[in-house]
Every structure is written in structure tokens, then in C-alpha cells.
Amino acid sequence: MSSNGGSIQLTAQPRTEKKGSAIRDLRLKGRIPAVVYGTELEGTPVHVDAKEFNKVVRTGRSEVFNLTIEGKETIPVIIKDYQQRDNHWLHADFLKISRNKPLRVHVSIDYQGTPAGTKKGGILQVQETEVEVEGLPADLPSTIEVDVSALEVGDKISASDLKLPKGVTLHVPGEELLASIIVSRAAEVENAAVEGDAAATGGAGEASANKEA
């Protein structure tokens, strides 16, 4: 689990053209139209380099980084939202944050390991890939790692099982199911067949015993 360090940088250029044709031209040039929100900003339109933005996204949406708006200022922000289609970035929203005020964000869950139950016919079923947490920007994790290697068939992981950094609190019900090991359909069919064969064998044995008697 890695925490925000604030060392990531991204440069944005002011955007004046808002027409569809101008936005398409930006995307063709490898730029992403975006908007910066926050106190005293009131939705500032900008555009950023798609490749550089991709590097930031990989760190997680809760990662705080410095956004430098050319000709203006450098501000701490997080990625509030983004739109993507066919692996192409369409739009991004940045939110200016205060480093000394708690922030509520969604953090991705990184399931690690191979569940022991998968070797016995089980499969890992993931219900949630992220959870909502709150904390100071510097304390927020970029991802939450969950080791699933010890899970057997029938085991589950709930939100309350997550290990969060000090100062970070969970904002979903503790009983919310995140992942579980369930029996695969193939294993169910195989077990039913085995049970059926056992029942048939037992029935034949009883019939033979009755006949001899």
C-alpha cells in the first residue's frame, strides 16, 4: 500500500476554445481537454498531455499531485473524474484540494495472491474494486492491498477486514462484501455426479443384500 507523496507533477495549458471541433483537434494532437474545480477557480478549462496524464492515472485517483497551469499557478489537485472510450482519453476533471482538510475519495482495491480455495474447485468472485475512505490528503493510500492467498472455498472479505493507514476511515458499511471464494459451476456438477454415483452404488448394494436374504 503506497501513500501520497505529492511529488508527481503535471502541466496544463489554459483552454479558451470550447467548440467540439477545437476539442477534437486537441485530442488528435495528443491532448486531453480538462476542467479544474475548487475554491476561487469556478471551473477553469485547461488541456494536458495524454501520455503524462496516463502516468498520473496509474498512481490512483486519490493521489495528490501538483498541477501547474501555465501563466497562472501551481496547485495541489486530485483526479476527480475522467472519461475514456476505446482506450482513448476524452476528458478529465481535476479538483483543487487543501492539504490540511480531510478529503473523501474512492480508492482502488488491489487483490493480491492466488486463493488456496481455487485449487479445490473454487473461484475468486470480486464484488467491489474500490471503496470510499476519508482522511487528510497526505494520509490517503493510492491503492489498498488485500492478500487473498489464504482464502478457502466459502471464505469472504468484507470492508471491515481492510487494513487502512492511520488517520484514514472507511465510509462504507463494515459488512459490505468485497470478495469471496465460491464453488465453480463445473465443480458443483462434478460433486453432484460423484454423489449420484455413490447413491447408486449404495442402492445396488442394498438390493443385492436383500436378494441374498
Side-chain angles (χ1 to χ4, degrees):
M1 181 158 42
S2 58
S3 297
N4 293 310
S7 60
I8 299 174
Q9 306 280 336
L10 185 65
T11 300
Q13 296 179 359
R15 176 167 56 90
T16 54
E17 291 291 337
K18 301 179 181 180
K19 295 181 179 179
S21 57
I23 291 177
R24 284 193 296 272
D25 288 342
L26 281 175
R27 292 175 181 144
L28 289 174
K29 295 176 181 178
R31 309 290 296 183
I32 304 174
V35 177
V36 186
Y37 298 95
T39 306
E40 300 176 357
L41 290 176
E42 298 181 356
T44 301
V46 297
H47 58 92
V48 298
D49 182 82
K51 292 182 179 179
E52 293 302 313
F53 178 77
N54 195 51
K55 294 178 183 178
V56 176
V57 171
R58 289 176 181 173
T59 66
R61 285 176 57 180
S62 65
E63 186 80 22
V64 178
F65 61 95
N66 291 322
L67 181 70
T68 299
I69 304 177
E70 289 188 355
K72 293 188 177 182
E73 58 182 335
T74 297
I75 56 176
V77 301
I78 63 169
I79 298 173
K80 183 64 175 176
D81 198 9
Y82 56 74
Q83 297 175 9
Q84 190 179 28
R85 182 189 302 153
D86 299 329
N87 294 322
H88 290 87
W89 298 112
L90 300 179
H91 185 84
D93 289 332
F94 302 111
L95 176 65
K96 179 182 178 181
I97 57 96
S98 172
R99 294 186 183 275
N100 58 4
K101 291 184 179 181
L103 183 66
R104 189 177 297 185
V105 297
H106 285 85
V107 179
S108 297
I109 302 173
D110 181 11
Y111 296 98
Q112 298 188 341
T114 301
T118 59
K119 300 176 183 178
K120 303 173 184 177
I123 58 175
L124 175 64
Q125 184 176 67
V126 174
Q127 274 78 22
E128 300 292 341
T129 57
E130 62 179 25
V131 291
E132 188 176 31
V133 299
E134 183 177 62
L136 292 176
D139 296 333
L140 293 173
S142 55
T143 60
I144 299 175
E145 296 178 359
V146 178
D147 185 2
V148 298
S149 58
L151 297 184
E152 298 284 357
V153 174
D155 288 346
K156 63 180 181 179
I157 293 178
S158 301
S160 59
D161 296 321
L162 297 177
K163 296 180 180 179
L164 301 176
K166 184 179 180 179
V168 177
T169 56
L170 196 64
H171 272 272
V172 297
E175 65 274 14
E176 181 169 323
L177 182 63
L178 304 180
S180 58
I181 306 299
I182 63 174
V183 180
S184 67
R185 180 59 181 167
E188 288 181 345
V189 172
E190 182 178 347
N191 290 338
V194 170
E195 291 175 359
D197 290 342
T201 301
E206 290 179 3
S208 177
N210 292 334
K211 185 176 181 181
E212 291 177 359

